[in-house]
Coordinates of all heavy atoms in Angstrom, one line a residue:
G1 N 64.9 97.5 106.4 CA 63.8 97.8 105.5 C 63.9 97.3 104.1 O 63.0 97.3 103.3
M2 N 65.1 96.7 103.8 CA 65.3 96.3 102.4 C 64.5 95.1 102.0 O 64.4 94.7 100.8 CB 66.8 96.1 102.1 CG 67.6 97.4 102.1 SD 67.1 98.6 100.9 CE 67.1 97.7 99.4
R3 N 64.0 94.4 103.0 CA 63.2 93.2 102.7 C 61.9 93.6 101.9 O 61.4 92.7 101.2 CB 62.8 92.5 104.0 CG 62.3 91.0 103.8 CD 62.1 90.4 105.2 NE 61.4 89.1 105.1 CZ 60.9 88.5 106.1 NH1 60.9 89.1 107.3 NH2 60.3 87.4 105.9
K4 N 61.5 94.8 102.0 CA 60.3 95.3 101.2 C 60.6 95.2 99.7 O 59.7 95.1 98.9 CB 60.0 96.7 101.5 CG 59.6 97.1 102.9 CD 59.4 98.6 103.0 CE 59.2 99.0 104.4 NZ 59.3 100.5 104.6
F5 N 61.9 95.2 99.4 CA 62.4 95.3 98.0 C 63.0 94.0 97.5 O 63.6 93.9 96.5 CB 63.3 96.4 97.8 CG 62.8 97.7 98.3 CD1 63.1 98.2 99.6 CD2 61.9 98.5 97.6 CE1 62.6 99.4 100.1 CE2 61.3 99.6 98.1 CZ 61.7 100.1 99.3
A6 N 62.8 92.9 98.3 CA 63.4 91.6 98.0 C 64.9 91.7 97.9 O 65.5 91.0 97.0 CB 62.8 91.0 96.8
R7 N 65.5 92.5 98.7 CA 67.0 92.7 98.7 C 67.5 92.6 100.1 O 66.8 92.9 101.1 CB 67.3 94.1 98.1 CG 67.0 94.2 96.6 CD 67.8 93.3 95.7 NE 67.6 93.5 94.3 CZ 66.7 92.8 93.6 NH1 66.0 91.9 94.2 NH2 66.5 93.1 92.3
P8 N 68.8 92.3 100.3 CA 69.4 92.2 101.6 C 69.7 93.6 102.1 O 69.9 94.6 101.4 CB 70.7 91.5 101.3 CG 71.1 91.8 99.9 CD 69.7 91.8 99.2
D9 N 69.7 93.7 103.5 CA 70.1 94.9 104.1 C 71.6 95.1 104.0 O 72.4 94.2 103.6 CB 69.6 95.0 105.5 CG 68.2 95.5 105.6 OD1 68.0 96.8 105.4 OD2 67.2 94.7 105.8
V10 N 72.1 96.3 104.4 CA 73.5 96.7 104.3 C 74.1 96.8 105.7 O 73.5 97.4 106.6 CB 73.7 98.0 103.6 CG1 75.1 98.4 103.4 CG2 72.9 98.0 102.2
S11 N 75.3 96.2 105.9 CA 76.0 96.2 107.2 C 77.4 96.6 106.9 O 78.1 95.9 106.1 CB 75.9 94.9 107.9 OG 76.6 94.9 109.1
I12 N 77.8 97.7 107.5 CA 79.2 98.2 107.3 C 79.9 98.2 108.7 O 79.4 99.0 109.6 CB 79.3 99.6 106.7 CG1 78.5 99.6 105.3 CG2 80.7 100.0 106.4 CD1 78.4 101.0 104.7
V13 N 80.8 97.4 109.0 CA 81.4 97.3 110.3 C 82.8 97.9 110.3 O 83.4 98.2 109.2 CB 81.5 95.8 110.7 CG1 80.1 95.2 110.8 CG2 82.4 95.0 109.7
N14 N 83.4 98.1 111.5 CA 84.7 98.6 111.7 C 84.9 100.0 111.1 O 86.0 100.3 110.7 CB 85.7 97.6 111.1 CG 87.2 97.9 111.5 OD1 87.5 98.1 112.7 ND2 88.1 97.9 110.6
V15 N 83.9 100.8 111.3 CA 84.0 102.2 110.7 C 84.6 103.1 111.7 O 84.1 103.2 112.8 CB 82.6 102.7 110.4 CG1 82.6 104.1 109.8 CG2 81.9 101.7 109.4
P16 N 85.7 103.8 111.4 CA 86.3 104.8 112.3 C 85.4 106.0 112.5 O 84.6 106.3 111.6 CB 87.6 105.1 111.6 CG 87.4 104.8 110.2 CD 86.5 103.6 110.1
P17 N 85.4 106.6 113.7 CA 84.5 107.7 113.9 C 84.5 108.8 112.8 O 83.5 109.3 112.5 CB 85.0 108.3 115.3 CG 85.7 107.1 115.9 CD 86.3 106.3 114.8
E18 N 85.7 109.1 112.3 CA 85.7 110.1 111.3 C 85.1 109.7 109.9 O 85.0 110.6 109.1 CB 87.2 110.6 111.1 CG 88.1 109.5 110.5 CD 88.7 108.6 111.5 OE1 88.3 108.6 112.7 OE2 89.7 107.8 111.1
A19 N 84.8 108.4 109.8 CA 84.3 108.0 108.5 C 82.8 107.6 108.6 O 82.2 107.1 107.6 CB 85.1 106.7 108.0
V20 N 82.2 107.9 109.7 CA 80.8 107.5 109.9 C 79.9 108.2 108.8 O 79.0 107.5 108.2 CB 80.3 107.9 111.3 CG1 78.7 107.8 111.4 CG2 80.8 106.9 112.3
D21 N 80.1 109.4 108.5 CA 79.3 110.1 107.5 C 79.5 109.4 106.1 O 78.5 109.2 105.4 CB 79.6 111.6 107.4 CG 79.1 112.3 108.6 OD1 78.2 111.8 109.3 OD2 79.5 113.5 108.8
A22 N 80.7 109.1 105.8 CA 81.0 108.5 104.5 C 80.4 107.1 104.4 O 79.9 106.7 103.4 CB 82.5 108.4 104.3
A23 N 80.4 106.4 105.5 CA 79.8 105.0 105.6 C 78.3 105.2 105.4 O 77.7 104.3 104.7 CB 80.2 104.3 106.9
G24 N 77.7 106.2 106.0 CA 76.2 106.4 105.9 C 75.9 106.7 104.4 O 74.9 106.2 103.9
E25 N 76.7 107.5 103.8 CA 76.4 107.8 102.4 C 76.6 106.6 101.5 O 75.8 106.4 100.5 CB 77.4 108.9 101.9 CG 77.2 110.3 102.6 CD 78.2 111.3 102.2 OE1 79.1 111.0 101.4 OE2 78.1 112.4 102.7
L26 N 77.6 105.8 101.8 CA 77.8 104.5 101.1 C 76.6 103.6 101.2 O 76.1 103.0 100.3 CB 79.1 103.8 101.5 CG 79.4 102.5 100.9 CD1 79.6 102.7 99.4 CD2 80.6 101.9 101.5
A27 N 76.1 103.5 102.5 CA 74.9 102.7 102.8 C 73.7 103.2 102.0 O 73.0 102.4 101.4 CB 74.6 102.6 104.2
L28 N 73.5 104.5 101.9 CA 72.4 105.0 101.2 C 72.5 104.8 99.7 O 71.5 104.5 99.0 CB 72.3 106.5 101.5 CG 71.2 107.3 100.8 CD1 69.8 106.7 101.2 CD2 71.2 108.8 101.2
R29 N 73.8 104.8 99.2 CA 74.0 104.5 97.7 C 73.5 103.1 97.4 O 72.9 102.8 96.4 CB 75.4 104.7 97.4 CG 75.8 106.2 97.1 CD 77.3 106.4 97.1 NE 78.0 105.4 96.3 CZ 79.3 105.2 96.3 NH1 80.0 105.9 97.2 NH2 79.9 104.3 95.6
F30 N 73.9 102.2 98.3 CA 73.5 100.8 98.1 C 72.0 100.6 98.3 O 71.4 99.8 97.6 CB 74.2 99.8 99.1 CG 75.6 99.4 98.6 CD1 76.7 99.8 99.2 CD2 75.7 98.6 97.4 CE1 78.0 99.4 98.7 CE2 76.9 98.2 96.9 CZ 78.1 98.6 97.6
V31 N 71.4 101.4 99.2 CA 69.9 101.3 99.4 C 69.2 101.7 98.1 O 68.3 101.1 97.5 CB 69.5 102.2 100.5 CG1 68.0 102.5 100.5 CG2 69.8 101.6 101.9
A32 N 69.7 102.9 97.5 CA 69.1 103.4 96.3 C 69.3 102.4 95.1 O 68.4 102.2 94.3 CB 69.7 104.8 96.0
F33 N 70.5 101.9 95.0 CA 70.8 100.9 93.9 C 69.9 99.7 94.0 O 69.3 99.2 93.0 CB 72.3 100.5 94.1 CG 72.7 99.4 93.1 CD1 72.8 99.6 91.7 CD2 73.1 98.2 93.6 CE1 73.2 98.6 90.9 CE2 73.5 97.2 92.8 CZ 73.5 97.4 91.4
Q34 N 69.7 99.1 95.2 CA 68.9 98.0 95.4 C 67.4 98.2 95.2 O 66.7 97.4 94.7 CB 69.2 97.3 96.7 CG 70.6 96.7 96.8 CD 70.7 95.8 98.0 OE1 70.9 94.6 97.9 NE2 70.7 96.4 99.2
C35 N 67.0 99.4 95.7 CA 65.6 99.8 95.5 C 65.3 99.9 94.0 O 64.2 99.6 93.6 CB 65.3 101.1 96.2 SG 65.1 101.0 98.0
A36 N 66.3 100.3 93.3 CA 66.1 100.5 91.8 C 66.2 99.1 91.1 O 66.1 99.0 89.9 CB 67.2 101.4 91.2
G37 N 66.4 98.0 91.9 CA 66.4 96.7 91.3 C 67.8 96.1 91.2 O 67.9 94.9 90.7
G38 N 68.8 96.8 91.5 CA 70.2 96.3 91.4 C 70.5 95.1 92.4 O 69.8 95.0 93.4
I39 N 71.5 94.3 92.0 CA 71.9 93.2 92.8 C 73.4 93.3 93.2 O 74.2 93.6 92.3 CB 71.6 91.8 92.1 CG1 70.1 91.7 92.0 CG2 72.2 90.7 92.9 CD1 69.7 90.4 91.1
V40 N 73.7 93.2 94.5 CA 75.0 93.2 94.9 C 75.5 91.8 95.0 O 75.0 91.0 95.9 CB 75.1 93.9 96.3 CG1 76.6 93.9 96.8 CG2 74.6 95.3 96.2
E41 N 76.5 91.4 94.2 CA 76.9 90.0 94.1 C 77.9 89.7 95.3 O 78.6 90.6 95.8 CB 77.6 89.8 92.8 CG 76.8 90.1 91.5 CD 76.9 91.5 91.1 OE1 77.6 92.3 91.8 OE2 76.3 91.9 90.1
E42 N 77.9 88.4 95.7 CA 78.9 88.0 96.6 C 80.3 88.3 96.2 O 80.6 88.0 95.0 CB 78.7 86.5 96.9 CG 79.8 85.8 97.7 CD 79.6 86.2 99.2 OE1 78.6 86.7 99.6 OE2 80.6 86.1 99.9
G43 N 81.1 88.9 97.1 CA 82.5 89.2 96.7 C 82.6 90.4 95.9 O 83.8 90.8 95.6
R44 N 81.6 91.2 95.7 CA 81.7 92.4 94.9 C 82.7 93.4 95.6 O 82.5 93.6 96.8 CB 80.4 93.1 94.7 CG 80.4 94.4 94.0 CD 79.0 94.9 93.7 NE 79.0 96.2 93.0 CZ 78.0 96.7 92.5 NH1 76.8 96.1 92.5 NH2 78.0 97.9 91.9
E45 N 83.6 93.9 94.9 CA 84.6 94.9 95.5 C 84.0 96.3 95.5 O 83.5 96.7 94.5 CB 85.9 94.8 94.8 CG 87.0 95.7 95.5 CD 88.3 95.5 94.9 OE1 88.5 94.8 93.9 OE2 89.3 96.1 95.5
V46 N 84.1 97.0 96.6 CA 83.6 98.3 96.8 C 84.8 99.2 97.1 O 85.5 99.0 98.1 CB 82.5 98.4 97.9 CG1 82.0 99.8 98.0 CG2 81.4 97.4 97.6
E47 N 85.1 100.2 96.3 CA 86.1 101.1 96.5 C 85.6 102.5 97.0 O 84.5 102.9 96.5 CB 87.0 101.3 95.2 CG 87.7 100.0 94.8 CD 88.5 100.3 93.6 OE1 88.5 101.4 93.0 OE2 89.3 99.3 93.2
V48 N 86.2 103.1 97.9 CA 85.8 104.4 98.4 C 87.0 105.3 98.3 O 88.1 105.0 98.7 CB 85.4 104.3 99.9 CG1 85.1 105.6 100.5 CG2 84.2 103.3 100.1

């Protein structure tokens, strides 16, 4: 759905079962950031 906002969608791979909720929250944070107009640069480091 991020194409509505002229932004790429989010893909998080290799997520262990116990981290699925945390990965979902991280995806939602990126959704909100990009909907607000933010841009995720190539190579941007994400710490959890």
Side-chain angles (χ1 to χ4, degrees):
M2 289 305 304
R3 196 174 170 196
K4 295 175 192 171
F5 306 97
R7 294 292 183 270
D9 274 288
V10 184
S11 177
I12 308 175
V13 300
N14 193 46
V15 181
E18 67 273 12
V20 164
D21 287 346
E25 291 174 4
L26 179 61
L28 183 56
R29 280 166 45 199
F30 275 115
V31 164
F33 173 69
Q34 292 193 111
C35 286
I39 293 175
V40 179
E41 304 86 359
E42 173 69 19
R44 177 172 179 171
E45 185 171 7
V46 179
E47 296 183 354
V48 177

